[in-house]
Amino acid sequence: MTGLPDSWGATPAELQAGYRCDELAPDGHRLVRAVTSAAAAPEVYRWLCQLRVAPYSYDWLDNFGRTSPRRLVPGLEELAAGQRVMTIFELVHHTPGRDLTVTIRPGVAEQVFGPVAVTYRVIATPGGSRLVAVLRIGHRQDGRMSSVRRRLLAWGDLLMMRKQLLTLARLAEAGG
């Protein structure tokens, strides 16, 4: 996994690091996306918690046309397992100020995409931070379609996740 669509923006260290989603779906197809932000890690983490209410990607497509909030919604950094995230995910683990891991909820999205686990991690750097997202797309027993589904999902996710991470980084830089 060294190029598109499996990785985008990640450093070699970020590609090699372990993430909670790796434990949840160790045999799943792994995708890694990352961006740099001039904002400090705590500010980026606060924006990451906003995923509880909106996806921050292409709102016309994945937020039913509603604009993701452009100001921090108070209280969203109070995370607990079981909370809904971006409508189709559920929070399964978080380390305050550092990372959060979600899995796809049972229902239509799981039927379409299959099992998916995602870990978002914020890493402090000199002069800002890094926001890394790692996805694990689990295997389904649908034969040849499983490979096609994973490849299409990898390209689709690259477009959506790139927009999401860049938006969160930009909002964190602008303050809240």
Side-chain angles (χ1 to χ4, degrees):
M1 174 192 42
T2 57
L4 297 176
D6 293 339
S7 67
W8 173 81
T11 66
E14 291 162 349
L15 290 169
Q16 295 301 315
Y19 300 84
R20 178 67 59 135
C21 64
D22 294 328
E23 299 168 19
L24 296 173
D27 296 329
H29 188 76
R30 191 174 199 244
L31 307 173
V32 182
R33 287 79 169 86
V35 297
T36 298
S37 177
E43 189 68 17
V44 174
Y45 183 79
R46 289 181 68 204
W47 277 100
L48 185 58
C49 294
Q50 300 295 299
L51 293 177
R52 284 182 47 201
V53 295
Y56 289 91
S57 185
Y58 294 101
D59 287 332
W60 56 270
L61 178 63
D62 62 357
N63 202 26
F64 310 107
R66 295 184 307 258
T67 302
S68 296
R70 293 309 194 237
R71 296 210 180 278
L72 290 169
V73 177
L76 291 182
E77 43 303 322
E78 297 171 19
L79 300 176
Q83 291 173 327
R84 189 175 283 202
V85 177
M86 295 180 287
T87 307
I88 65 169
F89 291 94
E90 177 178 307
L91 182 67
V92 294
H93 179 267
H94 74 286
T95 305
R98 182 173 187 244
D99 61 42
L100 59 93
T101 299
V102 299
T103 57
I104 203 160
R105 300 175 64 225
V108 174
E110 184 183 40
Q111 292 171 4
V112 172
F113 302 118
V116 177
V118 185
T119 297
Y120 292 89
R121 183 175 292 166
V122 180
I123 303 164
T125 63
S129 58
R130 295 278 293 162
L131 177 54
V132 181
V134 179
L135 292 82
R136 282 291 192 156
I137 305 166
H139 299 287
R140 286 198 320 206
Q141 300 302 327
D142 53 2
R144 188 170 166 205
M145 283 307 294
S146 185
S147 174
V148 172
R149 177 183 56 83
R150 282 193 312 273
R151 188 57 43 198
L152 290 174
L153 186 54
W155 280 107
D157 175 76
L158 175 63
L159 296 174
M160 302 301 281
M161 184 71 71
R162 179 182 181 278
K163 171 75 166 148
Q164 180 187 64
L165 298 180
L166 289 170
T167 298
L168 292 171
R170 185 172 48 250
L171 288 168
E173 292 167 356

